[in-house]
């Protein structure tokens, strides 16, 4: 049940100045992503400010993304929750809306045991038929899905097909890949280590950087899959300084600022997220200039 191979974008959710979702702008950036070679749209994940969308908004954004994308590339809906009941409800609705797959973050705050994580994902997987990608991001959720638990879920449920790994632990990722077969989908959840994860059998990345550089992130993965290791290495290393800048403040603060610097007019963030500091905005602008996304000296005068 493969969903995509390459660079999927963890898409931002554009807002009007009053904080409401800007669906006209969402249409525009979806079309730009498709034209830019993005391999999949990930809707309503962390970067999409899912934590501050109401359930109604959450589903409206997913439905809109599915409708606009029209199956030209897959749409993967973020439907995870710290409430299993809510995760099941959102997942069913996303499947009914036509999503091609689900991204399921580990339950946050509860700090479930490995047994609890297994039962949580079992409940969601049994409620839908579309592919499910687990999302391991302990820095945000306070809990890690251990490789043995992921492998067990993969074995037991046909529609649990892989993981977005944002744990940053290459040894743990390698252990996971030793426990599963080659059909398992390992997606990097950190733009700075895409190539290392590809080297142990990864299928690509779910990328923040792809919001502003979709063609480049697609190209990094494509180079690897074509056997151009040196080309993939060059692109990974070239992007590192910009990737660091995109995480100077908590995601998605910098990436939304970056899109606005590009003239995309994607609007503000919802509290408790606040706008990037002026000092960090200038650092971000400088890295975007170095990477070639903005002309040199764009912030002067």
């Amino acid at each position: 049940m493969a969903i995509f191979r390459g660079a999927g974008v963890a898409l931002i959710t554009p807002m009007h100045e009053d904080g409401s979702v800007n669906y006209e702008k969402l249409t525009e950036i979806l079309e730009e992503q498709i034209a830019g070679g993005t391999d999949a749209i990930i809707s309503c994940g962390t970067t999409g400010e899912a934590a501050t969308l109401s359930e109604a908004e959450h589903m409206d954004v997913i439905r809109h993304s599915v409708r606009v994308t029209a199956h030209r590339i897959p749409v993967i809906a973020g439907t995870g929750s710290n409430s299993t009941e809510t995760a099941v409800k959102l997942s069913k609705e996303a499947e009914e809306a036509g999503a091609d797959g689900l991204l399921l973050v580990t339950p946050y705050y509860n700090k479930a045991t490995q047994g609890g994580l297994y039962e949580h994902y079992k409940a969601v997987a049994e409620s839908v038929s579309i592919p499910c990608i687990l999302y391991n991001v302990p820095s945000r959720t306070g809990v890690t899905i251990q490789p043995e638990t992921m492998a067990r879920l993969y074995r037991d449920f046909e529609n649990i097909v892989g993981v977005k790994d944002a744990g940053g632990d290459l040894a743990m990722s390698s252990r996971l890949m030793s426990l599963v077969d080659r059909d398992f989908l390992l997606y990097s959840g950190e733009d700075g280590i895409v190539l290392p994860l590809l080297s142990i059998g990864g299928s690509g990345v779910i990328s923040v950087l792809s919001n502003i550089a979709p063609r480049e992130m697609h190209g990094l993965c494509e180079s690897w899959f074509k056997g151009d290791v040196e080309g993939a290495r060059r692109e990974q290393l070239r992007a590192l300084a910009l990737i660091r800048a995109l995480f100077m403040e908590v995601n998605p603060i910098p990436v939304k600022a970056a899109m606005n610097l590009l003239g995309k007019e994607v609007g503000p963030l919802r509290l408790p997220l606040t706008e990037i500091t002026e000092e960090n905005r200038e650092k971000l602008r400088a890295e975007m200039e170095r990477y070639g996304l903005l002309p040199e000296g764009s912030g002067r005068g």
Side-chain angles (χ1 to χ4, degrees):
M1 299 179 80
I3 308 176
F4 76 96
R5 187 172 80 156
V9 61
L11 198 70
I12 65 104
T13 300
M15 306 286 184
H16 292 290
E17 287 304 314
D18 65 2
S20 60
V21 176
N22 185 339
Y23 289 99
E24 182 178 354
K25 182 62 64 172
L26 179 56
T27 297
E28 182 181 312
I29 63 176
L30 284 165
E31 292 293 350
E32 288 176 352
Q33 285 292 320
I34 294 169
T38 286
D39 296 292
I41 301 295
I42 291 77
S43 178
C44 292
T46 303
T47 311
E49 297 181 74
T52 52
L53 296 175
S54 69
E55 281 192 29
E57 288 173 322
H58 193 129
M59 287 311 309
D60 283 344
V61 169
I62 290 168
R63 290 188 189 98
H64 187 86
S65 299
V66 169
R67 184 165 57 252
V68 171
T69 303
H71 299 291
R72 286 174 287 173
I73 58 175
V75 173
I76 298 165
T79 55
S81 173
N82 67 333
S83 161
T84 303
E85 182 179 0
T86 300
V88 167
K89 177 176 180 291
L90 291 174
S91 297
K92 286 180 174 180
E93 291 181 8
E95 181 175 34
E96 291 169 4
D100 299 283
L102 305 175
L103 181 67
L104 301 167
V105 70
T106 51
Y108 37 88
Y109 190 78
N110 311 60
K111 297 188 78 171
T113 65
Q114 295 301 301
L117 292 175
Y118 180 90
E119 293 299 328
H120 171 83
Y121 284 119
K122 175 178 183 286
V124 177
E126 289 182 337
S127 73
V128 295
S129 59
I130 56 177
C132 301
I133 299 169
L134 312 184
Y135 180 13
N136 190 45
V137 57
S139 65
R140 285 188 180 263
T141 64
V143 65
T144 297
I145 317 173
Q146 292 298 324
E148 292 76 13
T149 303
M150 282 191 256
R152 181 184 172 203
L153 286 161
Y154 175 66
R155 286 194 306 270
D156 291 353
F157 302 98
E158 185 180 357
N159 61 333
I160 291 181
V161 298
V163 65
K164 176 185 177 183
D165 185 355
D169 186 333
L170 290 173
M172 184 174 286
S173 302
S174 298
R175 191 164 93 241
L176 168 63
M177 296 306 281
S178 76
L179 298 172
V180 295
D181 61 38
R182 287 289 299 167
D183 291 332
F184 184 86
L185 303 174
L186 172 65
Y187 298 113
S188 178
E190 295 193 17
D191 288 325
I193 56 171
V194 179
L195 187 54
L197 288 185
L198 287 173
S199 75
I200 60 169
S203 295
V205 58
I206 294 177
S207 171
V208 174
L209 178 57
S210 283
N211 280 280
I212 57 173
R215 198 170 301 281
E216 290 80 357
M217 290 304 284
H218 168 82
L220 188 165
C221 295
E222 185 175 43
S223 292
W224 171 265
F225 293 129
K226 287 182 175 179
D228 180 9
V229 177
E230 179 58 24
R233 186 188 73 85
R234 282 196 305 269
E235 187 56 48
Q236 178 73 88
L237 296 180
R238 186 173 84 88
L240 284 179
L242 178 55
I243 292 165
R244 285 196 300 272
L246 287 172
F247 292 89
M248 288 186 296
E249 297 184 27
V250 69
N251 180 50
I253 291 174
V255 72
K256 264 197 156 175
M259 292 188 76
N260 285 327
L261 285 169
L262 289 172
K264 302 296 185 184
E265 298 181 351
V266 298
L269 301 115
R270 286 188 177 177
L271 288 171
L273 298 183
T274 53
E275 296 303 309
I276 195 169
T277 66
E278 194 56 38
E279 178 184 3
N280 284 340
R281 186 189 309 275
E282 291 311 307
K283 290 178 182 177
L284 176 60
R285 185 196 303 273
E287 293 303 340
M288 292 172 69
E289 288 180 10
R290 290 190 188 97
Y291 192 73
L293 292 174
L294 289 171
E296 289 189 19
S298 64
R300 299 180 196 136

